[in-house]
Amino acid sequence: ILGPTVKICFSLILCSLHHHAKWESPKTGRRVFCEVYLIVSLSNAIFPFLLSAVKFENCQRSREVGFISSHPNFSVRPDGTVYTQQEVANLSEPVQFMVTARGLHDPHIWETTVKLALVGHLHSLPLTKNLSKKGPGDQNDPTNVIRFSRRHQRGSSANGLRRQKRDWVIPPINVPENSRGPFPHMLVRIRSDQDKDPGIRYSITGAGADQPPSGIYNIDPISGNMFVTQPLDREERASYHLRAHAVDMNGNQVENPIDLYIYVIDMNDNRPEFQNQVYNGSVAEGSKPGSSVMQVTASDSDDSTTANGMVRYRILSQTPHSPIPNMFTINSETGDIVTVAAGLDREKVSQYTLIVQATDMEGNLNFGLSNTATALISITDINDNPPEFTVRTFSGEVPENKVNVVVANLTVVDRDQPHSPNWNAVYRIVNGDPSGHFTIRTNPITNEGMLTVIKPVDFEMNRAFMLTVVVSNQAHLASGIQSSLQSTAGVTISVQDVNEPPVFPVNPKIIRFEEGVPAGTTLTVFAAQDPDHFIHQIVRYAKLSDPANWLRINRTNGQITTMALLDRESMYVRNNMYEATFLAYDNGSPQASGTGTLQIYLIDVNDNAPVLVPREAQVCERTRPNSRINITASDADTDPNVGPFVFELPSFPPSVRRNWTISRLSGDYAQLKLRISYLEAGMYEIPIIVSDSGNPPLSNRSVIRVKVCPCDHNGDCSATGAVAAAGLGTGAIIAILICIIILLSMVLLFVVWMKRREKERQAKPLLIDPEDDVRDNILKYDEEGGGEEDQDYDLSQLQQPESLDHIINKTTGVRRVDERPVIAESQYPVRPSVPHPGDIGDFINDGLRAADNDPTAPPYDSLLVFDYEGSGSTAGSVSSLNSTSSGDQDYDYLNDWGPRFKKLADLYGGGDDD
């Protein structure tokens, strides 16, 4: 640990170097190198710990110099003080680093090497060997020579083994970035102890030499001078690790490789860069000094362990300057912006714009590089302004009996943020409306209060209302803010009288009557009242709804009377209740009307006899335990005019009681069964008398149809038995008769139609006997095809031509026999539109003669083309068939066949030409 004891070695005046280092003027821009040795003691250090003060002065005696250290653990302050920022674990070996100095108005850069050693370890500082001066022509200076470590050899002497000296510790090579050359620039010289041998060759390997990025460093293989060939950029690569090799002419290693560590010294060549060009922050209005607002952040690509990368912040300007120019401050190291003064008021200034500057070199404006960003600070709203009514009194009018009507719009002003909880108004009626006739809704756009009627008001009860209204915000007022007196206002509401409709005092009105009330009976007086007490009006009545048309109302006094019997069992009665609606209207202007409902509860009387259920059943022809019929009854009346029912068989006809019997099961059910052991299968109609329990009781004689049939062992009617027992009812007989009548009618119609058709055929005989009707028919048969050579002939000459030009241009009288003659067509007779049946034969004969004499009518004389069987066919030729006619046959009869056979008659019949 570094201790507090410090020994200052010396102060160095740079101008003296011009003489001792044989250096040129600083105006050339070349760098001057020197070395400073510090001896320190280590014990109980407190960081940052001061090591030494090294004073630098230039020839102009200006003390504005900036320093940059190449070691991460040691720094140099602007006054030249060297100090450490953190604990240094081991200083058993000398620590060497480079310090770069640059004047404010001087473009030249000076560098010096600082070596640190512990007190009492002065032997570790090889002062005579490492003290160096460096110039452009001093490449052979022994202070820039790095020698290879000597090999550990075993040798014999008189005293035994000889101990070798400890190897040199190779210090790192520091190269500043962005050097302007000239290049290549010599860094060090590598020497071997055996360099007297002219065959030694030097080389370097590693990233930057023979590995990417290759070519940055090279070495003279003979002299061992190591060069850098181009400017370096610490932001791209901060250090290089190379290895130096020495071999003989045969490639044999003569020295162990040594490690060379090259550190790129950072220069302040990068400005701080803000993460954003515009930062947005906010702070509530009325905030106390010291309230956090926002943080801005800038980064510097330079070495953050040196002043080159240490960024400091400051505020350059504030807009606007209200209430004071410096409402905010910024932490120079962290970039946190906080308030420094009270008085933030959003209603006066809603946003501040700050220009923030970030500067490296720990904020040194003379040497550091700067950049700026904009910070926009929004002042957020708090509810520090209560809403206030624009006037102290509002007024409005409302018609009576109207709801959802806006009576008045209450206007307020609020200077807080619009459309926020601090601005949104909430209205309350605190006095003047005990019955809750009114409410106030807030218009979300204008923030006005809409006083609305939600419960009808009555002019006859209240002609005016005096309301007290209070307005507040959705959000509570900020601490310390009191409500304004202008947050309370009065509202005067006048009620307008309108013609109100008559009102039935009891609506609906319920009355009770027994059903069966005769027509003309007065039921009640259903009168209405006119609520307009200050206006005398006449009320009239009318019937609006009477589904069964049972009632009548007196149009002047509202008396209700019956027009028909009231029947509880009517389809218009629901749950014993009959309902009718009546209308009451006045003679006001405009006329107003009201409706009232009269409900009549009908009390049941025993006016409906019971009906037997079921109406059909079946039993087995032989008495069985399960061969019984359960019967009951239905009654349209209600209690007590329904069950229990009484079931009994009539005494006539006697066979009913002889064959059947009824036993009671319960109040509403009984059982019908055979009295005898066997009854012939068939359909039986059994009368049964059913009586209810009304007072007096009503009876009904009902008939149940019972089918008696043979049963199987399960007691069910068998199929054969069911058919035998089935009888035709009246409906079935009627259906059969209808079917028979329809069938007979169809047969009769068919016979009449056939006779009429026969008469028509007799009146119009056939023109041509069917036996004489001979028509030419073309019968198509399958074609068998030709022989082996049936494809050797050309049929192109036998085809129908595509145009008639060659026919028209032919000589008259010369044409092909398969062509239609080009002459005027013959005129055929025209049939009258309404011909007489006797003229049909004449018309057909005339048309036949015209067609026979028409040379243009088809069929034309044409050449028929048949398939050619070929010469190789095995069948005999048709030409081999010779005519056996002796020529004596007479063909003159062909002349009698008409023009169509004229050609044939000329060929065979002979004639005058012969």
Side-chain angles (χ1 to χ4, degrees):
I1 302 176
L2 293 178
T5 303
V6 178
K7 180 178 180 180
I8 300 176
C9 297
F10 55 85
S11 298
L12 180 63
I13 306 301
L14 296 180
C15 293
S16 63
L17 295 178
H18 297 295
H19 304 285
H20 299 287
K22 298 180 182 180
W23 200 250
E24 297 179 0
S25 172
K27 295 181 181 181
T28 60
R30 297 181 181 178
R31 298 176 179 177
V32 182
F33 295 89
C34 61
E35 292 187 353
V36 178
Y37 298 93
L38 303 180
I39 303 175
V40 298
S41 174
L42 303 178
S43 62
N44 302 327
I46 300 177
F47 302 97
F49 176 65
L50 179 66
L51 296 180
S52 176
V54 182
K55 297 181 180 180
F56 294 86
E57 295 180 359
N58 58 15
C59 297
Q60 289 76 24
R61 302 295 178 180
S62 173
R63 296 183 180 273
E64 295 181 354
V65 181
F67 304 96
I68 300 174
S69 172
S70 65
H71 200 287
N73 295 332
F74 301 96
S75 300
V76 182
R77 293 175 178 168
D79 60 356
T81 303
V82 181
Y83 65 95
T84 179
Q85 293 184 341
Q86 57 184 355
E87 178 180 338
V88 181
N90 185 11
L91 277 180
S92 60
E93 297 293 339
V95 176
Q96 174 180 304
F97 58 92
M98 181 171 290
V99 176
T100 303
R102 184 178 68 176
L104 175 60
H105 302 292
D106 194 341
H108 306 91
I109 297 175
W110 290 269
E111 294 179 348
T112 182
T113 300
V114 178
K115 295 183 179 180
L116 299 179
L118 296 175
V119 175
H121 292 74
L122 295 180
H123 63 275
S124 62
L125 282 175
L127 298 178
T128 58
K129 297 190 66 175
N130 287 343
L131 183 61
S132 64
K133 295 179 291 182
K134 185 175 181 182
D138 299 334
Q139 296 181 359
N140 297 324
D141 194 323
T143 59
N144 294 327
V145 176
I146 297 178
R147 294 185 176 276
F148 283 90
S149 302
R150 290 185 294 275
R151 299 183 180 181
H152 297 278
Q153 300 176 354
R154 291 182 179 271
S156 61
S157 61
N159 298 328
L161 296 175
R162 183 175 59 188
R163 182 177 179 272
Q164 298 286 346
K165 292 184 178 181
R166 184 174 59 181
D167 292 341
W168 289 94
V169 176
I170 306 301
I173 302 172
N174 297 311
V175 181
E177 67 172 333
N178 302 326
S179 176
R180 289 179 290 181
F183 295 100
H185 177 69
M186 179 180 173
L187 298 179
V188 294
R189 182 180 180 187
I190 308 298
R191 294 293 303 276
S192 172
D193 290 341
Q194 303 180 21
D195 60 354
K196 296 180 180 180
D197 185 358
I200 298 298
R201 295 294 182 266
Y202 302 97
S203 63
I204 55 175
T205 59
D210 60 343
Q211 300 177 12
S214 59
I216 297 178
Y217 302 97
N218 59 30
I219 188 172
D220 189 329
I222 299 176
S223 64
N225 294 334
M226 181 177 171
F227 301 90
V228 59
T229 62
Q230 62 188 37
L232 303 181
D233 188 355
R234 190 204 66 85
E235 285 70 42
E236 292 184 0
R237 192 180 183 98
S239 64
Y240 297 87
H241 179 201
L242 304 178
R243 304 199 76 184
H245 306 271
V247 297
D248 55 18
M249 294 298 293
N250 296 325
N252 297 321
Q253 179 178 301
V254 297
E255 296 284 359
N256 290 328
I258 59 174
D259 293 318
L260 301 178
Y261 293 95
I262 303 174
Y263 294 102
V264 181
I265 301 175
D266 183 45
M267 304 298 291
N268 191 19
D269 57 346
N270 291 279
R271 294 179 180 274
E273 296 292 339
F274 283 95
Q275 294 181 357
N276 302 302
Q277 283 301 312
V278 178
Y279 289 84
N280 293 283
S282 62
V283 63
E285 62 176 332
S287 297
K288 297 179 180 180
S291 300
S292 177
V293 180
M294 61 190 303
Q295 183 184 31
V296 297
T297 305
S299 59
D300 197 315
S301 300
D302 292 325
D303 190 357
S304 61
T305 62
T306 65
N308 296 338
M310 296 181 180
V311 180
R312 298 294 182 266
Y313 304 92
R314 70 189 187 111
I315 298 176
L316 294 182
S317 64
Q318 169 192 307
T319 304
H321 294 176
S322 175
I324 60 174
N326 300 316
M327 290 294 296
F328 305 93
T329 186
I330 188 170
N331 187 306
S332 61
E333 294 185 358
T334 63
D336 292 321
I337 299 177
V338 296
T339 60
V340 293
L344 294 175
D345 191 351
R346 190 204 64 84
E347 287 71 38
K348 295 180 179 179
V349 179
S350 60
Q351 188 180 71
Y352 288 89
T353 301
L354 305 182
I355 303 300
V356 181
Q357 183 185 55
T359 307
D360 57 15
M361 295 298 294
E362 298 182 283
N364 191 321
L365 299 178
N366 295 327
F367 301 100
L369 302 177
S370 301
N371 212 337
T372 59
T374 302
L376 300 179
I377 302 176
S378 299
I379 308 303
T380 58
D381 184 48
I382 63 173
N383 195 13
D384 57 346
N385 294 282
E388 299 177 349
F389 285 105
T390 56
V391 295
R392 297 300 301 273
T393 303
F394 297 89
S395 62
E397 294 182 348
V398 57
E400 63 175 335
N401 300 322
K402 294 290 185 179
V403 294
N404 296 324
V405 177
V406 177
V407 180
N409 288 321
L410 312 181
T411 56
V412 297
V413 293
D414 195 322
R415 293 179 295 170
D416 289 322
Q417 179 70 39
H419 307 289
S420 68
N422 300 329
W423 179 81
N424 295 336
V426 178
Y427 300 87
R428 292 181 296 113
I429 301 174
V430 296
N431 193 13
D433 186 24
S435 300
H437 291 282
F438 304 94
T439 187
I440 303 178
R441 301 184 178 99
T442 303
N443 189 318
I445 300 176
T446 63
N447 213 27
E448 295 179 352
M450 298 180 294
L451 182 61
T452 308
V453 181
I454 59 174
K455 185 178 179 181
V457 294
D458 191 355
F459 175 81
E460 287 70 27
M461 300 293 294
N462 292 294
R463 296 190 179 186
F465 292 87
M466 299 294 296
L467 307 180
T468 302
V469 179
V470 175
V471 64
S472 59
N473 292 123
Q474 288 182 352
H476 296 290
L477 289 174
S479 178
I481 304 299
Q482 299 296 327
S483 178
S484 173
L485 295 177
Q486 296 182 351
S487 297
T488 303
V491 183
T492 302
I493 302 174
S494 299
V495 181
Q496 297 176 345
D497 187 22
V498 297
N499 185 23
E500 299 178 77
V503 177
F504 290 91
V506 180
N507 193 12
K509 184 176 183 180
I510 301 176
I511 59 175
R512 297 172 62 91
F513 273 89
E514 286 187 353
E515 63 174 331
V517 174
T521 303
T522 300
L523 300 181
T524 184
V525 176
F526 197 25
Q529 300 176 357
D530 191 348
D532 295 319
H533 302 302
F534 301 101
I535 303 175
H536 179 69
Q537 298 181 135
I538 300 176
V539 179
R540 293 289 182 263
Y541 303 92
K543 185 170 64 173
L544 190 63
S545 173
D546 183 12
N549 198 24
W550 289 343
L551 307 177
R552 178 189 299 113
I553 186 169
N554 189 300
R555 65 183 305 270
T556 58
N557 58 12
Q559 181 177 346
I560 307 295
T561 57
T562 61
M563 295 189 303
L565 290 176
L566 304 183
D567 186 5
R568 191 197 67 84
E569 290 76 31
S570 172
M571 60 180 295
Y572 302 105
V573 178
R574 299 288 184 271
N575 298 324
N576 300 332
M577 191 74 69
Y578 180 75
E579 187 174 286
T581 306
F582 299 93
L583 181 70
Y585 55 94
D586 59 21
N587 60 345
S589 179
Q591 189 181 72
S593 62
T595 59
T597 301
L598 179 65
Q599 294 179 342
I600 305 175
Y601 185 86
L602 297 177
I603 302 173
D604 183 45
V605 296
N606 193 16
D607 58 347
N608 292 279
V611 178
L612 184 67
V613 177
R615 306 303 298 270
E616 293 183 356
Q618 67 178 15
V619 294
C620 297
E621 60 183 359
R622 298 184 182 279
T623 302
R624 293 174 178 267
N626 57 352
S627 181
R628 296 167 181 166
I629 303 172
N630 293 329
I631 58 175
T632 184
S634 63
D635 197 326
D637 295 323
T638 60
D639 287 337
N641 299 318
V642 289
F645 300 104
V646 176
F647 302 91
E648 57 182 348
L649 296 174
S651 57
F652 182 84
S655 60
V656 174
R657 290 190 174 185
R658 185 174 61 252
N659 298 332
W660 304 90
T661 183
I662 293 179
S663 60
R664 187 181 186 87
L665 295 179
S666 63
D668 294 335
Y669 291 91
Q671 197 172 71
L672 177 66
K673 59 183 179 179
L674 287 173
R675 179 185 293 273
I676 59 180
S677 60
Y678 174 78
L679 182 64
E680 184 180 356
M683 186 67 69
Y684 296 86
E685 293 185 353
I686 304 173
I688 298 178
I689 300 175
V690 184
S691 303
D692 58 19
S693 300
N695 187 17
L698 293 181
S699 300
N700 182 29
R701 181 186 175 99
S702 301
V703 176
I704 181 173
R705 292 171 53 83
V706 179
K707 181 174 67 175
V708 179
C709 59
C711 297
D712 54 17
H713 62 280
N714 295 324
D716 299 327
C717 285
S718 61
T720 305
V723 172
L728 295 179
T730 305
I733 295 174
I734 294 174
I736 293 173
L737 291 176
I738 291 174
C739 293
I740 293 173
I741 293 173
I742 292 173
L743 183 60
L744 292 177
S745 300
M746 293 176 63
V747 172
L748 180 61
L749 291 175
F750 180 75
V751 171
V752 171
W753 177 76
M754 291 296 294
K755 289 183 177 181
R756 184 174 181 179
R757 184 178 178 185
E758 185 66 24
K759 290 180 180 181
E760 291 179 354
R761 297 178 71 178
Q762 292 176 1
K764 297 179 181 180
L766 294 176
L767 299 178
I768 302 176
D769 190 355
E771 298 179 357
D772 298 334
D773 186 11
V774 180
R775 295 187 178 97
D776 294 336
N777 295 295
I778 300 176
L779 302 179
K780 183 177 180 181
Y781 298 93
D782 291 339
E783 297 180 357
E784 297 181 355
E788 294 81 357
E789 300 179 3
D790 58 349
Q791 303 298 328
D792 295 341
Y793 52 88
D794 183 13
L795 299 178
S796 62
Q797 301 298 326
L798 303 178
Q799 303 300 323
Q800 178 72 24
E802 297 181 357
S803 65
L804 300 176
D805 294 341
H806 64 287
I807 300 176
I808 298 174
N809 297 329
K810 283 183 178 182
T811 307
T812 304
V814 179
R815 64 180 182 88
R816 288 175 51 174
V817 294
D818 61 341
E819 294 177 351
R820 177 178 179 178
V822 184
I823 59 177
E825 296 183 357
S826 300
Q827 296 296 325
Y828 290 84
V830 179
R831 183 181 179 184
S833 58
V834 184
H836 188 273
D839 297 337
I840 296 177
D842 297 337
F843 172 76
I844 294 177
N845 292 329
D846 294 340
L848 180 60
R849 285 193 296 270
D852 289 338
N853 296 322
D854 185 7
T856 62
Y860 316 120
D861 292 336
S862 59
L863 177 64
L864 301 180
V865 180
F866 298 91
D867 284 343
Y868 177 64
E869 295 183 355
S871 60
S873 175
T874 57
S877 175
V878 179
S879 60
S880 61
L881 297 179
N882 296 324
S883 176
T884 57
S885 176
S886 61
D888 296 335
Q889 186 173 354
D890 185 10
Y891 294 99
D892 292 338
Y893 63 89
L894 295 176
N895 293 322
D896 300 332
W897 288 5
R900 295 189 179 186
F901 297 91
K902 186 176 184 302
K903 194 70 173 178
L904 188 61
D906 294 341
L907 294 176
Y908 289 91
D912 298 338
D913 295 336
D914 295 338

